[in-house]
Amino acid sequence: QKEVEQNSGPLSVPEGAIASLNCTYSDRGSQSFFWYRQYSGKSPELIMFIYSNGDKEDGRFTAQLNKASQYVSLLIRDSQPSDSATYLCAVRTGFQKLVFGTGTRLLVSP
Amino acid sequence: EAGVTQFPSHSVIEKGQTVTLRCDPISGHDNLYWYRRVMGKEIKFLLHFVKESKQDESGMPNNRFLAERTGGTYSTLKVQPAELEDSGVYFCASSPPPAGANVLTFGAGSRLTVL
């Protein structure tokens, strides 16, 4: 079992819709959860992180964490074609390193 | 503010040769990390420096890989001798104290192709 699992996609949504990206993790001791966005050939960029159960909102982005279910998600409201990228879920387990999933490719069509 | 800079952006070498990758972190960022993405796989941690000290090198694949950060500024990652399975994209990331792994800024990566 992979430590962090994501559906590779692609996830296709029309412009203006809500994109929902999901991630599960195996280590119950995981402390912090991150969403990175990576455009093709570019560096991963941190979108947001979450520590506590519940929702955390930042602009059009909402991260949701459910530690009991070992599940973290990212919602993107009013999706734009410029949101088309690979979204990487990452988990920190108490050490100064992140464990990444393989990423979900998101395609937003005009 | 300059970001994390990596050089070269792409290197093509033959099996058995040596390659040295360089990373210049953001000025003032004591934390420097190396990660690697092999084709089709997830990005994986290699090691972590705090200034010039190696804090965690648990992700280094084997002794063909040597990372240094002399003076606590830029870092190099040497692969010697390179093997086919070393091909991938090597990312460097940095963060200021005490943010650690919580706020990483990644470089664009160095793509290594071993033939």
Side-chain angles (χ1 to χ4, degrees):
Chain A
Q1 181 189 10
K2 288 185 178 179
E3 293 183 69
V4 178
E5 299 224 37
Q6 296 182 257
N7 188 315
S8 60
L11 172 67
S12 295
V13 300
E15 183 175 357
I18 296 175
S20 177
L21 303 157
N22 306 314
C23 170
T24 58
Y25 60 94
S26 61
D27 187 345
R28 285 196 171 273
S30 300
Q31 299 178 348
S32 312
F33 307 86
F34 304 82
W35 283 101
Y36 282 81
R37 177 178 61 198
Q38 187 177 24
Y39 293 109
S40 181
K42 303 295 185 181
S43 58
E45 302 171 82
L46 180 64
I47 299 173
M48 61 192 307
F49 55 87
I50 185 168
Y51 303 120
S52 305
N53 276 328
D55 295 0
K56 179 181 178 181
E57 187 175 317
D58 184 359
R60 296 187 295 115
F61 299 96
T62 298
Q64 299 176 317
L65 174 61
N66 184 325
K67 288 187 176 181
S69 300
Q70 296 175 246
Y71 176 92
V72 58
S73 65
L74 179 70
L75 301 178
I76 307 175
R77 289 182 298 281
D78 188 24
S79 295
Q80 301 297 309
S82 58
D83 294 326
S84 298
T86 296
Y87 289 78
L88 303 167
C89 174
V91 170
R92 186 171 72 85
T93 59
F95 301 100
Q96 289 298 326
K97 64 181 179 183
L98 301 183
V99 179
F100 283 86
T102 53
T104 298
R105 188 171 165 221
L106 173 66
L107 296 175
V108 182
S109 54
Chain B
E1 177 184 75
V4 177
T5 305
Q6 292 189 245
F7 182 83
S9 58
H10 192 188
S11 181
V12 180
I13 62 172
E14 294 191 349
K15 176 182 173 180
Q17 290 186 320
T18 298
V19 64
T20 300
L21 310 177
R22 172 170 169 148
C23 169
D24 286 76
I26 293 173
S27 178
H29 282 197
D30 289 347
N31 294 289
L32 188 149
Y33 305 79
W34 284 98
Y35 283 80
R36 175 176 75 168
R37 185 166 196 166
V38 172
M39 180 73 75
K41 303 284 188 179
E42 66 274 20
I43 296 173
K44 281 196 169 181
F45 170 86
L46 296 178
L47 87 160
H48 169 215
F49 284 99
V50 176
K51 297 185 180 179
E52 67 275 10
S53 299
K54 291 178 186 176
Q55 293 296 295
D56 181 356
E57 51 185 330
S58 61
M60 295 288 265
N62 50 60
N63 59 10
R64 295 186 295 103
F65 289 74
L66 175 64
E68 296 181 320
R69 192 182 183 194
T70 306
T73 54
Y74 70 91
S75 174
T76 58
L77 180 64
K78 180 191 287 188
V79 184
Q80 179 183 29
E83 298 289 345
L84 299 178
E85 64 264 25
D86 300 332
S87 296
V89 180
Y90 291 76
F91 290 102
C92 177
S94 70
S95 68
N102 290 344
V103 188
L104 296 184
T105 300
F106 279 85
S110 291
R111 180 176 296 275
L112 174 63
T113 301
V114 183
L115 303 176

